[in-house]
Amino acid sequence: MALTQDSDTPMDSDKPSASDYRVDQQIGFFLRQANQRHVSIFAGLMGDRLTTTQWAALTKLKEIQPTSQNQLGRETAMDVATIKGVVDRLVKRGFMKTMADATDGRRLVLSLTEEGLSAIDRNIDTAIAVSEETMAPLTSGERMMLVELLRKLC
């Protein structure tokens, strides 16, 4: 898309038309490919059969525990159904535990178990390596720019 000469606003005539649309040239296509690459690297390196969403839940819970399932979902950008499934699997595996909230008996509070803390300790270096491998094709400046641009989109 071209910019006007005297401003940073796109020129209307440069907007793509419906006949110009190609899915493999769209931002969603590239984001999906980048995510697939990251998930593949993660699955190939991460131990304890942890998924990216499980890892996010474990490590965020370590930061904010004890907390509610809903708050953990908000903090990890997971919808209600997704965080429920993730928490259920991690509780079943013995990485998290639930207890009744002292102030509201209808609400459950989550915290990590010793096994959950151990899983984080066992895998933290691998998680760092996953991020490094995901970003390996980029220079240091490109890495910072990519993260900043993605933050703007979120």
Side-chain angles (χ1 to χ4, degrees):
M1 182 176 296
L3 300 177
T4 59
Q5 287 187 356
D6 59 353
S7 75
D8 290 335
T9 56
M11 294 171 40
D12 287 340
S13 63
D14 290 334
K15 288 184 181 179
S17 68
S19 63
D20 295 328
Y21 183 89
R22 290 191 46 198
V23 71
D24 60 348
Q25 298 301 310
Q26 304 306 310
I27 184 64
F29 183 85
F30 294 114
L31 289 172
R32 191 171 45 261
Q33 279 189 313
N35 184 59
Q36 287 169 342
R37 180 175 182 275
H38 172 72
V39 169
S40 176
I41 293 166
F42 187 96
L45 296 177
M46 186 59 67
D48 287 299
R49 299 177 342 268
L50 291 166
T51 66
T52 57
T53 53
Q54 290 170 347
W55 179 251
L58 283 174
T59 56
K60 182 52 77 172
L61 183 57
K62 183 179 180 186
E63 291 176 37
I64 65 172
Q65 70 179 333
T67 194
S68 70
Q69 183 172 290
N70 284 341
Q71 183 63 35
L72 183 59
R74 284 190 295 276
E75 294 284 333
T76 55
M78 291 183 223
D79 62 43
V80 173
T82 301
I83 193 64
K84 179 176 182 350
V86 168
V87 166
D88 287 350
R89 286 185 285 282
L90 291 171
V91 167
K92 186 175 181 179
R93 293 181 65 189
F95 290 159
M96 284 183 187
K97 62 183 176 183
T98 62
M99 58 197 130
D101 186 323
T103 60
D104 183 349
R106 300 168 296 173
R107 190 169 87 157
L108 293 178
V109 174
L110 305 171
S111 60
L112 292 174
T113 63
E114 286 301 317
E115 183 56 31
L117 289 168
S118 293
I120 293 171
D121 290 343
R122 281 191 303 273
N123 291 290
I124 194 70
D125 289 338
T126 301
I128 293 166
V130 166
S131 292
E132 283 299 311
E133 178 66 22
T134 298
M135 304 269 269
L138 305 176
T139 66
S140 175
E142 289 169 335
R143 290 174 185 206
M144 291 187 318
M145 186 184 308
L146 176 62
V147 170
E148 181 62 27
L149 291 171
L150 289 173
R151 280 190 180 130
K152 280 182 128 177
L153 289 176
C154 296

